[in-house]
Amino acid sequence: MEAHDAARVPTLHAAGISKRWGENRVLDDAELSIAGGEVVALVGKNGVGKTTLLRIAAGVLAPDVGRIRVLGLDPAADRREFQRRIGYLSAGSVGLWARLTAEQNLELWAAFALLRRARRRTAIAASLELFGLSELARQRVDRMSMGQRQRVRLAMAFLHDPALVILDEPANSLDEDALELIGNALEGLVARGGGALWCAPVPPDAPQVTRLCALEAGRVVAR
Amino acid sequence: MNGLADVAGVTLAVVRRDARLFVSYRLRFVTQLLTALFTLTLFYYLSRLVNVRSFAGPDQYFGFAVVGLVIVQVLNSSIALPPVNLRQELVAGTFERWVASPAGAPVVSVATLVFPFLLSVLTALIMLGLGSLLFGLNVQWVTVPLVIPASVLGFLAFAPFGVLVMAVVIVAKQALGATTFIVAGMSLVAGLYFPVSLLPGWIRWASEVQPFTPAVELMRFALLGRPLEHSVWADLAQLALFPAILFPVSIFALRGALAAGLRRGTIFEY
């Protein structure tokens, strides 16, 4: 992560974001900025567009209107560098290669994240340890509990040392110990000058959250 | 991306993943072998009925058909399998990972074509071995090394069709009809099971304007010593020309489909 970049420009800057699904305008000129060292919680009722906004911020969905920047990087102009700086936990329990082990999932993601070969082993071991998965590293994902799978997904989100971590309902299926692991990971991220966006239907019970926002009528409002 | 080294790294990782997934289904390889054996047996006995001017005898037709079957393996691996695999990735939410990765979905998409191709080559070799051992297939070992450049060029020529079908899946979610049409159409006009000279004149042009015919002819020349209509170099050049034109076109289409998928949200199917 480039801490000097984080100090100069917002980690995430979303401006004038609008998105429509059919007749339903889910986001309407939404604005959101996250500075380095901030952990922002975004709450809102089911179906208000939280996941849509997160997907746009993560670069996996294009807005109809508006612009998104991560450390000043435009996904349309420099997609690779944009994605390199983002750690993304998608909604639900998807995005794992179920018949591979936790370690093999992380190995594959490390390759997709273009981590240098020399760095991969250390990064994978660190991420497994961060989420209490060292003992489960060689267990196949389809033989894990939902909570353990969620921890593998979280380990993938933090693996490549991103500047911005986007988490869509990360507390799903997690017990108290695992929630503490997310807190530790966020503390490490913030200490390195990174930022995080934590999305949930209700405010998360996490001391690391520095600011609470809500999505209402397509816009982000402070709480 | 640091150029070719990164592309090679991603490709290697995807091939390793696909190999791990393949061996995790323990009976898959056995069933594939049995299918190959049954198909060979079927064509062996069908060939016993063949006594026509185009072939010197049943054995010659059997060799002709076996090479056709080998090409069908490669055709299926490069055209029919990629959309099926891509759809599984869409449903499992792992395609979203490709898109969210610094490597990017186009690189990962192309990388997923490699393992099915390697597997089809292995299956093809096994079919040839079984054909030779069990049914007396007469392989011309002297020209067999030519199979290597011909199959690599063949794969490169067929792969753009797979990429194009993947682009269709990203936009339309399904492409089964398209792949069935392509594979069945190519089986007819590329002379996989019968010589193209038997086709009516009005359709014969179709055997010249796609990469499958030169691939089949080169394979038959290399494996069976069957004479070529053109020279080896002419067929190799024709085979090399297709990827040179089709690869950029297919990657352009894939990027367009991805851009549309990002706008319309069709990359999420879970």
Side-chain angles (χ1 to χ4, degrees), chain B residues 31-80:
Chain B
T31 53
Q32 243 172 289
L33 278 183
L34 286 175
T35 307
L37 183 62
F38 291 154
T39 312
L40 282 173
T41 310
L42 173 73
F43 273 87
Y44 176 76
Y45 286 108
L46 275 177
S47 73
R48 301 301 97 184
L49 304 172
V50 175
N51 200 357
V52 292
R53 216 165 9 122
S54 310
F55 298 101
D59 287 339
Q60 200 180 42
Y61 175 71
F62 178 63
F64 182 94
V66 169
V67 176
L69 292 170
V70 161
I71 295 289
V72 167
Q73 294 290 328
V74 183
L75 205 60
N76 273 323
S77 76
S78 51
I79 296 175

Side-chain angles (χ1 to χ4, degrees), chain B residues 129-149:
Chain B
L130 287 175
S132 181
L133 280 173
L134 301 179
F135 301 105
L137 178 70
N138 189 14
V139 177
Q140 304 289 306
W141 296 107
V142 181
T143 42
V144 159
L146 185 62
V147 167
I148 297 166

Side-chain angles (χ1 to χ4, degrees), chain B residues 140-234:
Chain B
Q140 304 289 306
W141 296 107
V142 181
T143 42
V144 159
L146 185 62
V147 167
I148 297 166
S151 54
V152 170
L153 281 175
F155 167 67
L156 291 175
F158 301 173
F161 292 91
V163 176
L164 283 171
V165 182
M166 287 168 107
V168 173
V169 172
I170 292 168
V171 176
K173 309 209 171 188
Q174 288 278 5
L176 190 62
T179 55
T180 309
F181 174 77
I182 295 172
V183 173
M186 290 307 139
S187 303
L188 280 177
V189 299
L192 297 188
Y193 303 118
F194 56 84
V196 289
S197 57
L198 295 179
L199 287 170
W202 61 269
I203 192 72
R204 201 144 339 134
W205 63 270
S207 67
E208 298 291 336
V209 295
Q210 31 75 18
F212 306 99
T213 309
V216 177
E217 286 189 351
L218 276 170
M219 285 293 184
R220 286 195 178 118
F221 170 73
L223 293 167
L224 308 171
R226 194 176 165 85
L228 290 167
E229 203 170 307
H230 316 287
S231 72
V232 172
W233 294 111

Side-chain angles (χ1 to χ4, degrees), chain A residues 61-76:
Chain A
L61 184 66
D64 295 338
V65 186
R67 56 180 220 148
I68 197 97
R69 299 285 184 272
V70 168
L71 291 174
L73 291 162
D74 177 359

